[in-house]
């Protein structure tokens, strides 16, 4: 997902907000880190648990 692939005329405030929100969701909850083979969220939850 890349903001540069969208046509400028189709980018409105609500569209930009959704694109960025979707990317943040992907980056934190879906994308696995190569080193740990887990998502950043899973790594943070492991460190936070006592």
């Amino acid at each position: 997902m890349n903001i540069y692939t969208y046509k400028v005329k189709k980018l409105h405030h609500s569209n930009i907000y959704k694109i960025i929100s979707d990317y943040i969701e992907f980056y934190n909850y879906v994308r696995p880190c190569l080193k740990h083979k887990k998502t950043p969220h899973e790594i943070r939850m492991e460190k936070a648990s006592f």
Side-chain angles (χ1 to χ4, degrees), residues 16-31:
I16 293 171
Y17 181 79
K18 175 145 177 41
I19 292 166
I20 293 171
S21 178
D22 289 348
Y23 183 76
I24 291 171
E25 180 79 20
F26 167 78
Y27 193 84
N28 287 321
Y29 297 103
V30 177
R31 171 193 65 93

Side-chain angles (χ1 to χ4, degrees), residues 8-42:
V8 174
K9 291 181 181 179
K10 292 184 180 182
L11 289 176
H12 298 286
H13 181 266
S14 60
N15 291 358
I16 293 171
Y17 181 79
K18 175 145 177 41
I19 292 166
I20 293 171
S21 178
D22 289 348
Y23 183 76
I24 291 171
E25 180 79 20
F26 167 78
Y27 193 84
N28 287 321
Y29 297 103
V30 177
R31 171 193 65 93
C33 293
L34 296 176
K35 182 178 177 183
H36 302 288
K37 305 285 191 240
K38 298 177 184 176
T39 67
H41 178 70
E42 292 171 338

